[in-house]
Amino acid sequence: MAVSGVRMGVVGGSIAGCAMAIAGARAGADVTVYERSDGELQDRGLGIVIPPALHEELVTAGYLDASMDTAPVGTRVWLTRKPDGRTAHEFGRQPSAVVPCNWGMLWRSLRARAGDVRYHRGLPVTSVEREPSGRALIRTAAGAESYDIVVGADGHQSVTRRLLAPGLRPTPAGYTVWRGTVALSAFAGRPEQLELLRGAWVTVTFERGHGVFYLIPSARKESGGAGGERLLAYAVYGFLPAPAAGRREEAAYVRTLADEHFPAEWADVVARGKHLSLVCHPVTDFQAPRSASPPFLLAGDAAAITRPHTASGAVKALQDALCLERALRDSTSTDEALRRYADERTAEGARLVELGRRLGHAQVERTPEWHTMGPADVDTWSRAVLGGATSYLFGGPHRGADAEPPRGSACS
Ligand SMILES: Cc1cc2nc3c(=O)[nH]c(=O)nc-3n(C[C@H](O)[C@H](O)[C@H](O)COP(=O)(O)OP(=O)(O)OC[C@H]3O[C@@H](n4cnc5c(N)ncnc54)[C@H](O)[C@@H]3O)c2cc1C
């Protein structure tokens, strides 16, 4: 028997917030979203990768528009710089099917599918409270509203999580990630690299760090074209020199890292390519001890953040939503639905935080001698790094359970 007709308030209207709003509405809830920002969220135009099976499920279930442009590829290529020069050495190639998306287009598609819910833009939630009746209160500058369920989808500094897990602090990894998007003009005169990226995503390794590169769809206004255009998205992981410089210097340091460690053609793209965006921040992780405590539940980054090597933050947020919809449909009370949700999603958050630490350790903190490795070594090393865990980013025998939507679980 389904839980329907309940009032559901959602704090945060980004990827997790919009996906949870769709889930609630599809299960028959009356949904209101509160988003602090009054700017254009679609302008956060960075790259996001998701597994093909999840993309397909979201389209089939009606969360995503089938016409949303993506840039799927099926292979992961491992490169490093030859020790005696600046040329690239390819030392591994693995099957790894991923669906790269433009973050802004993904948000816009979810937002459109959440079209019927009340979505308050520019209205920050100042606090969430438990009412004596067992319901939940959301306070904003516009007043206080009472709900049967409140979803905290308000990111890493969630006010909702502060209520459920006061004092929880992120654990720093000790290194930094730089994320950027670059116009494809950076590949002028380098057709081989561009051709490689049309069929694969690329990991460029170095001692105590690496970068990942992939193409994503470009929103029209970025390219000025008619659609179907691509941008290069990258994430580079490494250590800042101590003492840390100012924010501006920290962001620009990725150019130095690239020049020092990448093969010339990839260094040029990062160091001299025309950037449409560039951000950097310390890598951290954390997980709330439990993803729900009725009438509250946490979704996306508010519930858990894993180191980005797993490429799973948005994936998790989207799976959170699919889980909530199933739990609401299959339960007889909101308490039961939220308990089912918490059982499944807390375990998944813990799995991903652990996986992120394993990958960060092996790909940044204690890297192997990449230039001595060949294809068989990459497979052996991948297996050892995963230690029995699975990830959709490591193809072949390491293909993850997270490549498939979580079926047959507490929420199904
Ligand atoms: C380097 C890097 C690479 C990544 N790559 C991938 C990838 O390939 N694949 C993947 O799946 N994930 C990836 N991620 C993770 C992914 O980007 C995030 O997990 C995801 O975008 C989080 O979405 P969210 O909606 O939970 O949080 P957010 O996007 O942070 O949204 C929170 C929203 O809540 C709003 N808000 C906050 N406080 C309030 C308040 N008090 N009242 C109202 N609104 C509020 C904010 O304005 C914001 O819009 C990556 C992350 C990084 C750092």
Side-chain angles (χ1 to χ4, degrees), residues 68-81:
M68 183 188 83
D69 197 8
T70 61
V73 291
T75 305
R76 179 178 196 174
V77 170
W78 294 81
L79 301 177
T80 198
R81 197 169 85 172

Side-chain angles (χ1 to χ4, degrees), residues 173-229:
Y175 53 88
T176 299
V177 58
W178 288 262
R179 300 175 84 180
T181 47
V182 176
L184 292 197
S185 54
F187 290 102
R190 301 192 185 282
E192 279 171 38
Q193 281 69 41
L194 188 54
E195 201 45 42
L196 177 64
L197 285 166
R198 294 206 187 274
W201 65 285
V202 173
T203 302
V204 180
T205 63
F206 57 92
E207 191 185 348
R208 286 170 50 89
H210 69 280
V212 294
F213 294 84
Y214 52 95
L215 299 184
I216 59 169
S218 164
R220 259 183 203 209
K221 68 175 181 183
E222 289 161 339
S223 61
E229 288 86 358

Side-chain angles (χ1 to χ4, degrees), residues 11-17 34-37 41 44 47-50 103 119 123-126 153-159 177-179 214 235 237 281 299-302 304-305 308 310-317 392:
V11 189
S14 177
I15 298 283
Y34 298 85
E35 169 52 48
R36 174 178 63 189
S37 167
L41 266 61
R44 300 175 184 177
I48 284 287
V49 170
I50 66 174
W103 192 100
Y119 186 101
L123 190 57
V125 169
T126 50
D154 42 349
H156 67 291
Q157 291 181 322
S158 166
V159 294
V177 58
W178 288 262
R179 300 175 84 180
Y214 52 95
Y237 300 86
H281 52 86
D301 282 4
I305 289 190
T310 59
S312 65
V315 169
K316 182 168 67 64
Y392 75 101

